[in-house]
Amino acid sequence: MEISVDDMYKIENKGHDMGFLKKFMMENAGAAAVRRLIEKFGSVEGKNIQVFAGLGNNGGDGMVMARHLAGHGAKVTVMLLGTPDKIKTEESNWNWSILEKMKSVECYNGINDYNKPAVIIDSILGTGITGEIREPYSSAIYHIKQADCFKLAVDVPSGLDPQTGETANIYTKCDMTVTFHKMKKGIPKRKDLTGEVFVEKIGIPPEAEDGIL
């Protein structure tokens, strides 16, 4: 079953109101995406992995991934596309504060590309894409497009509208997309950008769908 982006927001909010907090959804989303990546590679130990993190919850999912990947022995660099004081949600802020305490993860504001990555995590823009993509996001997306490595999109490739399947002025092209809870309507339309797609459950109670789906 495919759902709209709007319904997904409502389901998340209802789950949160039931007591299954959005920070738990974020934790489970990031962990699920890491499991798919490890399934693909067998191991990430010693691999250079770059996480491009936006300032919203999509970036927060990427921050969770960074922590889990470090735990699996990867060499993780997180590039926050903005300053920490501009992080938009409590959940992402909470995850960023953990990364800042971790010596095993290198954190930067903006793009710092000094070593060739084996994997890039695109957690820049999620389901809330509207209008033209501007700096610093556009430079990061361009950078990802140019990179010659495996690319994983969190929820949706940045610049792809998961509702319509249309693209913004710039967008990423990924080898794997891990989306959450249920498939969003626009994602299957763009296999050319998503690569292999997985839909992962993140613990949202099925009752959160009541009256929405």
Side-chain angles (χ1 to χ4, degrees):
M1 180 189 183
E2 294 173 8
I3 66 170
S4 70
V5 169
D6 191 47
D7 284 346
M8 187 65 213
Y9 279 128
K10 288 176 184 168
I11 291 164
E12 285 175 348
N13 288 333
K14 197 167 171 189
H16 185 82
D17 292 343
M18 288 171 72
F20 186 68
L21 304 181
K22 286 182 182 175
K23 65 164 65 169
F24 302 141
M25 298 177 202
M26 184 175 282
E27 183 65 31
N28 290 347
V34 167
R35 277 197 301 276
R36 286 296 181 187
L37 191 62
I38 289 172
E39 190 179 90
K40 182 78 180 172
F41 282 94
S43 168
V44 292
E45 192 164 352
K47 286 191 188 304
N48 284 326
I49 300 181
Q50 294 179 348
V51 179
F52 285 80
L55 299 172
N57 278 341
N58 195 246
D61 293 342
M63 294 171 200
V64 171
M65 288 186 73
R67 172 163 38 84
H68 282 266
L69 287 164
H72 284 284
K75 296 173 181 170
V76 185
T77 306
V78 179
M79 285 167 269
L80 185 70
L81 300 176
T83 52
D85 60 307
K86 295 285 196 307
I87 293 173
K88 292 172 186 166
T89 71
E90 180 195 340
E91 295 80 20
S92 295
N93 243 321
W94 182 68
N95 277 297
W96 179 255
S97 72
I98 298 169
L99 291 181
E100 287 189 312
K101 299 181 185 86
M102 292 175 64
K103 289 192 174 71
S104 54
V105 176
E106 292 190 49
C107 295
Y108 296 98
N109 300 133
I111 299 170
N112 189 310
D113 186 28
Y114 62 88
N115 56 15
K116 183 170 164 47
V119 179
I120 286 177
I121 308 297
D122 168 14
S123 60
I124 301 174
L125 294 166
T127 52
I129 174 179
T130 49
E132 186 180 340
I133 296 170
R134 297 189 175 86
E135 294 292 2
Y137 289 7
S138 54
S139 280
I141 291 170
Y142 181 76
H143 183 88
I144 293 169
K145 283 187 87 153
Q146 299 300 324
D148 179 22
C149 66
F150 187 89
K151 299 161 196 177
L152 182 147
V154 180
D155 214 10
V156 62
S158 292
L160 173 62
D161 185 329
Q163 181 63 25
T164 63
E166 292 172 3
T167 49
N169 53 310
I170 190 166
Y171 48 86
T172 61
K173 185 176 186 297
C174 295
D175 301 288
M176 180 188 289
T177 297
V178 184
T179 195
F180 308 111
H181 190 65
K182 279 195 163 70
M183 181 67 81
K184 318 310 176 300
K185 288 178 176 173
I187 292 176
K189 296 177 180 175
R190 296 307 301 267
K191 294 238 169 31
D192 58 320
L193 302 182
T194 61
E196 195 174 8
V197 179
F198 296 98
V199 182
E200 295 290 340
K201 295 294 182 192
I202 54 173
I204 296 171
E207 290 78 7
E209 296 178 353
D210 292 351
I212 297 168
L213 300 184

